[in-house]
Amino acid sequence: MTTMNRTCDVLIIGAGPAGMSSALSLARHGISSIVLERRDGLQVHPKAHELSARSIEILHALGFSYEELAAEASPHDDASRILFCGTIGEEFGNIDLTVGDGSRKYKEHLAAPTPYLNVSQVELEKVMLAHVRACERTELLYRQQWESFEQNGETMTSVVTDLESGVTWTISSRYVICADGAGSRSRKALGVEMMGPEKIRDFMSAYFRADLSSVVRTRGKLYFIFSPKAPGSAFIAHHIEKRWVFHLPVMTPHEKMEDFTAEVMAERIKAALGRDDIPIEVESTSAWRMTAQIANRFRVGRAFLVGDAAHRFPPTGGLGMNSGIGDADNLCWKLALVLQGKAPESLLDTYEMERRPVIQTNCDESKYNFDRMGEIVEAFGVSIDDVERAHERMTTGPMAALPGPIRQWGQRQMQRYGESILARYERDPEVRQRVLSAIAAQRSHFDRIGLDLGYSYEEGAILSDGTPAPKLDDPVTTYVPSTRPGARFPHFWLDGNKRSISSHALLHGQRSTLICGAGVETTAAERDSMGAVAAELGVELVSLTTTTIPLAYRGAVHMRCQIEADGALLIRPDGHVAWRQQKGVVLSEELIRSIIHEVYGRFAA
């Protein structure tokens, strides 16, 4: 029986990174929210572990310091290495992102001190929770299970069960953000279907604490294991001295997930380590399914899907959690404009319009990365299909029915055969070269500045200026800064080699920012008048004559902004360019109104 009714601007279902990012982003724009989470607190089993360059920027803009985000991250050098091994101590090769131009190209385009962080999602959520708790406009309620929706005109009424008391209550909100994960109850209630392969492979993961600094040959963040004693497994070093996650493929339906207990996983971990003398205490296990799916709709009426509720794809590439943070960043400023009466509700349709192509690219790239891992196996001279069939034969049919000792003998024989294949790496220089080449070819799996910073919205809340998108040989590993409408406004230093003032300091964050070239002339009275109009429309006026930019560097700043001295740019609150006129701008109240209407209001037609 319903005993209580609450109201809020926006209800957020789910308190993971996408949900908490949504709450903080809304609050930044003056919008209140209630966040519901069915768990009794922060999750204890780690999932994602990589925070991308763009996510670091977004969280920094929400008030997170670089230092607190990095506090529990592994050292940057560790986070830049990926190892490919027999057991963890038998290294075949590695990818080191600090070698070559990997670090340099990021440094040119980021204000952040590091281009990515290898930090456990568990630790990240602790930091995020502290910010949510300190936010007056956000209320987070644990042990609350969302049950159902009812849309009534301009509100959504949600039924919620308090899992502690069993009491049912309701929340009325103008909008709902569904951030309740891959198994999203709210998505299913909305009738939204997932498109794409539902099952690529099943895995069991185990979280354990250990200092393995004396066990690994080379420090890194990922260790892909090819040993036949734990084939297809991987270690994620969230921090080599502290926290590890071990992922093991499970050949369902022939193998049963429930058979992979903490004790079994501990034995598999020791096998993958190649050491029986390391005490392993598994703190938690979790079954998960690798898929590559995207929701067929991101919006249903007043409800929006973000994060894993809207898309779920292989972790190969570290794009899942980061995509969810990007979703929140795109959606929430639009919700704020609509709730504040500064834009029509149809602006909200641009959320899916803009995010779907980005999500599709990330999904396709993640699946491609996973599929390419088989090239390393094939470099040893066996097909990945043969390996999987052998594994399947050992767990099904007659072999599974044999007495334990005979079955174990068969498994040992199969493992010896697998070890003889891996031994080709040392025996045969040709095989070694093939393996090393296959490993080197995986670099784009991890070196992805183009996906991090280079994604651009081609339609939506932007006005094209007719210029073509940059043509890149490799849009994954290459990034070309651009102020073309739809692109992320690039970072560069306003004071040249002094490197103390980022171009992002020009942006307001809570409003759109109209950046005018130093040659766009106005009188003081006109600036005051236009500033008042701009503020009414949610726009901050910035001139490149500002004292923030030393006179000696203004020419370079115009060049980096890709406008003439009499040009202008409109930057959205999420840091993406909405409008650009490269020259010939005559600033006026009418121009400001026209731009804002064209960018944010034209969807009402």
Side-chain angles (χ1 to χ4, degrees):
M1 178 177 177
T2 301
T3 60
M4 176 175 62
N5 181 65
R6 297 282 304 277
T7 62
C8 62
D9 290 330
V10 180
L11 171 65
I12 301 170
I13 306 170
M20 286 196 280
S21 293
S22 296
L24 293 169
S25 184
L26 287 168
R28 181 191 189 203
H29 295 292
I31 303 300
S32 67
S33 66
I34 293 177
V35 185
L36 301 179
E37 175 54 59
R38 67 190 307 273
R39 296 173 309 198
D40 59 3
L42 291 167
Q43 64 179 342
V44 296
H45 190 88
K47 294 181 181 178
H49 66 99
E50 178 136 336
L51 201 59
S52 73
R54 185 66 181 129
S55 293
I56 293 170
E57 280 186 346
I58 290 169
L59 293 177
H60 185 62
L62 291 177
F64 293 76
S65 71
Y66 296 132
E67 291 74 21
E68 66 181 326
L69 290 174
E72 285 298 326
S74 66
H76 178 62
D77 284 351
D78 292 4
S80 300
R81 295 193 197 96
I82 301 93
L83 290 300
F84 301 83
C85 313
T87 59
I88 206 167
E90 300 169 314
E91 183 183 323
F92 297 128
N94 69 71
I95 292 171
D96 189 337
L97 299 177
T98 65
V99 174
D101 68 348
S103 293
R104 181 186 60 78
K105 66 184 178 184
Y106 268 104
K107 284 180 181 177
E108 291 179 7
H109 305 303
L110 293 175
T114 56
Y116 39 79
L117 290 171
N118 180 45
V119 57
S120 169
Q121 182 177 329
V122 170
E123 300 303 319
L124 175 63
E125 287 188 15
K126 290 177 183 177
V127 177
M128 297 182 80
L129 178 61
H131 280 253
V132 168
R133 291 290 197 208
C135 181
E136 294 181 356
R137 290 192 174 95
T138 299
E139 184 178 4
L140 172 55
L141 305 175
Y142 282 112
R143 297 291 286 158
Q144 305 297 318
Q145 180 166 286
W146 176 90
E147 301 288 359
S148 64
F149 290 121
E150 183 178 343
Q151 186 157 322
N152 304 298
E154 295 188 353
T155 63
M156 294 278 284
T157 300
S158 292
V159 176
V160 182
T161 299
D162 183 320
L163 295 177
E164 290 292 336
S165 65
V167 171
T168 298
W169 56 289
T170 62
I171 299 181
S172 295
S173 60
R174 292 282 304 280
Y175 295 98
V176 176
I177 295 177
C178 304
D180 48 342
S184 175
R185 291 162 57 91
S186 59
R187 181 189 66 232
K188 293 170 184 173
L190 292 168
V192 174
E193 297 181 1
M194 299 300 286
M195 311 302 290
E198 183 180 0
K199 175 184 173 181
I200 297 173
R201 188 161 295 174
D202 286 327
F203 288 83
M204 180 65 75
S205 67
Y207 170 51
F208 64 101
R209 292 179 180 270
D211 180 354
L212 299 182
S213 56
S214 63
V215 178
V216 300
R217 280 179 50 187
T218 304
R219 295 179 68 96
K221 68 178 172 185
L222 276 168
Y223 297 81
F224 291 102
I225 303 300
F226 293 85
S227 168
K229 293 180 181 179
S233 62
F235 287 100
I236 302 174
H238 289 197
H239 203 297
I240 284 175
E241 286 83 5
K242 299 179 184 179
R243 293 178 288 272
W244 291 78
V245 173
F246 178 69
H247 292 281
L248 182 74
V250 179
M251 300 297 289
T252 57
H254 315 299
E255 293 181 307
K256 304 298 182 185
M257 302 297 286
E258 56 267 26
D259 292 339
F260 289 82
T261 61
E263 293 73 23
V264 170
M265 292 298 286
E267 290 305 311
R268 296 295 180 95
I269 288 168
K270 290 179 181 180
L273 290 174
R275 298 276 296 270
D276 289 326
D277 60 332
I278 305 294
I280 299 296
E281 292 188 16
V282 173
E283 296 206 0
S284 61
T285 61
S286 178
W288 63 279
R289 173 165 290 179
M290 182 186 291
T291 65
Q293 295 188 303
I294 300 174
N296 65 348
R297 290 178 291 171
F298 288 7
R299 177 186 186 184
V300 179
R302 293 181 169 270
F304 299 84
L305 305 180
V306 301
D308 288 353
H311 43 78
R312 48 197 193 199
F313 29 84
T316 36
L319 298 168
M321 177 178 70
N322 294 300
S323 294
I325 292 172
D327 293 342
D329 189 50
N330 181 283
L331 173 63
C332 290
W333 68 270
K334 297 174 182 176
L335 280 171
L337 280 183
V338 173
L339 285 164
Q340 291 161 355
K342 294 177 180 176
E345 186 174 296
S346 50
L347 174 65
L348 301 175
D349 289 333
T350 68
Y351 166 60
E352 178 171 347
M353 200 181 299
E354 293 177 353
R355 289 302 294 171
R356 178 176 290 280
V358 176
I359 296 305
Q360 188 66 62
T361 296
N362 289 349
C363 185
D364 293 345
E365 192 64 28
S366 299
K367 176 71 163 54
Y368 175 69
N369 289 337
F370 176 74
D371 290 341
R372 289 199 67 191
M373 290 292 292
E375 294 175 5
I376 299 174
V377 174
E378 292 171 353
F380 283 95
V382 294
S383 77
I384 191 70
D385 290 340
D386 288 342
V387 171
E388 291 184 354
R389 277 194 292 269
H391 189 183
E392 186 175 325
R393 280 197 294 270
M394 293 305 299
T395 57
T396 60
M399 182 62 74
L402 290 173
I406 298 176
R407 186 170 65 253
Q408 290 164 11
W409 176 85
Q411 289 171 343
R412 287 194 298 271
Q413 296 303 111
M414 189 66 73
Q415 288 170 2
R416 288 194 188 100
Y417 175 64
E419 286 165 358
S420 72
I421 291 173
L422 295 184
R424 295 173 186 173
Y425 179 85
E426 297 295 344
R427 293 198 312 264
D428 189 334
E430 229 178 88
V431 170
R432 184 182 310 117
Q433 188 54 52
R434 286 204 308 267
V435 171
L436 291 174
S437 296
I439 289 172
Q442 309 296 316
R443 189 178 178 94
S444 64
H445 179 155
F446 312 98
D447 180 7
R448 55 174 194 276
I449 188 172
L451 295 182
D452 285 353
L453 304 180
Y455 65 86
S456 182
Y457 302 132
E458 294 300 315
E459 61 174 347
I462 60 170
L463 282 179
S464 172
D465 65 357
T467 56
K471 292 191 180 298
L472 305 174
D473 292 336
D474 187 348
V476 174
T477 63
T478 305
Y479 168 65
V480 175
S482 175
T483 62
R484 179 176 175 268
R488 157 193 173 266
F489 182 67
H491 156 78
F492 49 87
W493 297 109
L494 297 178
D495 53 356
N497 291 332
K498 292 183 181 179
R499 303 170 71 84
S500 64
I501 310 172
S502 169
S503 59
H504 288 181
L506 297 172
L507 309 183
H508 187 280
Q510 285 80 28
R511 304 177 186 172
S512 298
T513 306
L514 185 63
I515 298 176
C516 299
V520 177
E521 297 181 359
T522 55
T523 65
E526 288 172 333
R527 283 194 297 274
D528 289 344
S529 173
M530 285 183 283
V533 169
E536 172 197 334
L537 297 170
V539 177
E540 185 80 3
L541 285 182
V542 173
S543 171
L544 294 187
T545 59
T546 176
T547 54
T548 301
I549 307 169
L551 182 61
Y553 300 108
R554 288 179 190 169
V557 169
H558 282 104
M559 182 180 69
R560 292 295 195 99
C561 286
Q562 299 173 352
I563 57 174
E564 303 291 338
D566 59 347
L569 298 166
L570 180 71
I571 316 300
R572 308 185 327 183
D574 63 354
H576 283 258
V577 180
W579 169 88
R580 177 175 71 174
Q581 185 175 328
Q582 292 179 291
K583 60 181 180 179
V585 171
V586 179
L587 193 60
S588 65
E589 292 182 17
E590 291 72 24
L591 177 65
I592 296 171
R593 289 187 187 278
S594 173
I595 294 169
I596 295 303
H597 173 74
E598 285 295 306
V599 175
Y600 304 146
R602 61 195 167 96
F603 302 95

